[in-house]
Amino acid sequence: FRESFKYAPNDYITVTQKVHGCFPSSMKVSMWDGSQKKIHSIRQGDELVGFDESGTPVKAIAKRDAFTTGQTDKWLRVKFKQPRKGDNPTVTCTPDHQILTPEGYVPANELNIGDVAIFTRNEPQITAQKVEVLNGLMLGDGSIAGALRNSVEWSHKHDHDEYSQYIARLLGNLTGLGKPQHRVSGHGSHMIGYRTQALRQVGLFNKKWRDGVPDDFTLTPLTLAVWYMDDGSRSHSDLQKDRAVFSTCSFSDGDVQIVDQELSRYGFTNYTWSQHSAYKGSKLYWYLRLNKDDAEKLFSDIRHLVPPVMQYKLPEYHRGFFVEPIVVDATGPVVFDASVISSETVHPDKVFPSTKWDVETTTGNFAVNRIAVHNSSVRIARTIVKRRLSWWERLAKRLGVTVAETE
């Protein structure tokens, strides 16, 4: 020790060893609540974004306060490009710090241009309630949209815009922030369209629906309500109770089979499928008809979910029960690929202060400037200060004689 004179024999000292590289204090750590915090401000017990073995974001806990092991004059700056506009993170770290890639951890100085790392960003999450709404849209008039097929859109005529806005409210923070789109349909109707934001979670949902109705979807009253308001109609006659008819023109034979099984599971028993052509000689399309008992079950189950503008589809004695559901939004971390676009050594004068900082987490990793990196750990030992040996004691020790080094 340079200042060993400060320590007396039998004093205890703590020795630390830093493992796996470091970051300057300006780097920001992704917190589990969606915020970011400078790395030197991390405290024991803080909840961070971590990653499991598959790279899926999970909650990580800081095992101790952020720690430092001095300064360095060796820094590397790696810039990444992420597909979404505006998300091009930069990470400054020591060259040996390990970056999480789809293939595992790689030291920063071994990353090449074009290599991929894991990038995380907080986005709206699809709650169970919103899955029910989206399922109803996909059964009805909703469609997959977006260049990356990561959005869902829906539109209805101007007179029913109150219903379209109701769907937008049900989808909460999934709903797009842009203005509604106006167009004229092939039948001359003024249509107003809405869509969700272009989100990774919506894209994963859409993937299940790309080839038709997924075999694991579930009917709920909310799903049925949206589907019925989209593609259902009330068949009325003064001579009998009302029936419900769904125009399922886009359904394939396989879709019909899957939906039929789910209708039965839900508890419908009195319904029929049939095929009709829109006009003579045209293609046959599927239609679903719920007869008296099943139609009554449908109306009873969904009446509290049908807003006034669409209650003309309900029998009169089922109208007036609407109570808009409470929507709870959720956000959380999602992951993307980010490719390396540059890597360069940084002069220490451009990294001020040049102090090395890091944290240790329960998952062994975390996200800094939104890039997933290896947990940097510190080894800590507590040891006793030994007394200085005389020349003859050192000689005796070399000859194998046991010499007491503590008092």
Side-chain angles (χ1 to χ4, degrees):
F1 299 97
R2 292 182 180 177
E3 300 181 354
S4 59
F5 62 86
K6 290 184 178 181
Y7 304 99
N10 294 332
D11 282 350
Y12 279 92
I13 61 173
T14 299
V15 180
T16 64
Q17 180 187 17
K18 176 70 182 58
V19 184
H20 294 138
C22 296
F23 300 96
S25 62
S26 60
M27 293 293 100
K28 294 181 178 180
V29 175
S30 297
M31 308 303 288
W32 189 250
D33 64 3
S35 64
Q36 290 185 301
K37 193 173 182 180
K38 287 188 176 181
I39 191 167
H40 67 85
S41 300
I42 298 297
R43 295 293 176 263
Q44 181 178 354
D46 281 353
E47 296 180 346
L48 287 61
V49 174
F51 306 87
D52 65 14
E53 294 181 355
S54 67
T56 301
V58 294
K59 184 186 294 184
I61 307 298
K63 296 173 71 174
R64 54 176 58 88
D65 293 355
F67 53 88
T68 178
T69 55
Q71 296 186 329
T72 183
D73 58 0
K74 295 180 174 60
W75 293 107
L76 189 69
R77 181 166 293 155
V78 185
K79 294 184 179 180
F80 299 86
K81 182 175 180 57
Q82 202 279 322
R84 184 161 176 168
K85 185 177 180 181
D87 283 333
N88 295 329
T90 299
V91 172
T92 301
C93 60
T94 51
D96 59 338
H97 202 101
Q98 299 191 54
I99 309 296
L100 182 56
T101 75
E103 288 73 38
Y105 291 101
V106 177
N109 59 0
E110 294 183 15
L111 289 173
N112 299 310
I113 305 301
D115 284 352
V116 171
I118 293 179
F119 170 85
T120 181
R121 179 177 62 235
N122 237 47
E123 283 193 353
Q125 300 288 297
I126 303 180
T127 62
Q129 181 188 45
K130 293 174 185 179
V131 169
E132 296 177 26
V133 177
L134 290 171
N135 281 340
L137 287 175
M138 299 308 293
L139 290 169
D141 290 334
S143 59
I144 295 173
L148 300 178
R149 300 174 70 82
N150 57 356
S151 180
V152 170
E153 64 180 6
W154 64 98
S155 61
H156 291 276
K157 62 183 182 180
H158 181 271
D159 293 345
H160 290 167
D161 189 49
E162 179 187 325
Y163 166 59
S164 293
Q165 293 184 39
Y166 170 53
I167 295 296
R169 293 194 300 274
L170 289 178
L171 291 176
N173 62 355
L174 298 183
T175 301
L177 305 177
K179 294 181 179 179
Q181 300 297 307
H182 296 257
R183 63 180 179 84
V184 177
S185 73
H187 300 288
S189 300
H190 176 197
M191 306 293 289
I192 304 179
Y194 299 78
R195 64 167 55 186
T196 68
Q197 297 185 60
L199 300 170
R200 178 68 177 273
Q201 295 293 306
V202 177
L204 294 175
F205 170 86
N206 288 345
K207 188 175 182 180
K208 291 185 174 183
W209 284 86
R210 285 183 184 177
D211 299 321
V213 180
D215 56 12
D216 62 347
F217 99 102
T218 302
L219 284 176
T220 67
L222 185 54
T223 298
L224 285 166
V226 175
W227 182 23
Y228 181 67
M229 288 185 284
D230 268 13
D231 277 348
S233 60
R234 178 172 60 98
S235 177
H236 177 73
S237 170
D238 292 336
L239 301 178
Q240 59 183 12
K241 283 194 171 184
D242 291 346
R243 270 66 169 165
V245 178
F246 290 83
S247 298
T248 53
C249 300
S250 63
F251 280 23
S252 66
D253 292 354
D255 294 336
V256 169
Q257 183 177 2
I258 293 171
V259 175
D260 185 85
Q261 292 174 351
E262 185 57 22
L263 288 167
S264 178
R265 187 208 62 80
Y266 185 86
F268 292 120
T269 59
N270 191 17
Y271 60 91
T272 56
W273 293 93
S274 61
Q275 286 186 300
H276 307 281
S277 58
Y279 53 88
K280 187 175 181 180
S282 69
K283 178 182 176 181
L284 294 175
Y285 297 101
W286 283 104
Y287 293 84
L288 170 65
R289 179 184 177 90
L290 302 186
N291 294 315
K292 181 186 67 173
D293 294 338
D294 280 355
E296 183 62 23
K297 175 177 176 58
L298 171 71
F299 298 143
S300 296
D301 286 358
I302 71 171
R303 65 184 185 180
H304 64 290
L305 298 168
V306 179
V309 70
M310 302 302 283
Q311 289 184 9
Y312 72 92
K313 293 193 174 190
L314 298 174
E316 291 186 9
Y317 58 91
H318 280 301
R319 299 173 190 174
F321 292 91
F322 176 63
V323 178
E324 185 160 333
I326 296 173
V327 176
V328 178
D329 288 330
T331 60
V334 295
V335 294
F336 302 82
D337 288 343
S339 55
V340 177
I341 57 176
S342 69
S343 179
E344 60 183 1
T345 301
V346 183
H347 193 279
D349 290 347
K350 295 184 178 181
V351 183
F352 181 82
S354 200
T355 307
K356 300 179 294 180
W357 286 92
D358 229 313
V359 297
E360 187 173 2
T361 71
T362 52
T363 57
N365 49 41
F366 58 101
V368 64
N369 281 18
R370 304 191 186 280
I371 294 295
V373 299
H374 192 281
N375 177 93
S376 288
S377 56
V378 60
R379 294 172 182 169
I380 301 175
R382 192 165 182 262
T383 185
I384 191 170
V385 176
K386 299 178 181 179
R387 67 181 178 85
R388 185 182 295 275
L389 300 180
S390 65
W391 68 268
W392 62 268
E393 287 176 317
R394 292 197 298 272
L395 177 60
K397 187 175 180 181
R398 286 188 178 184
L399 296 174
V401 178
T402 301
V403 177
E405 298 184 61
T406 57
E407 296 178 354

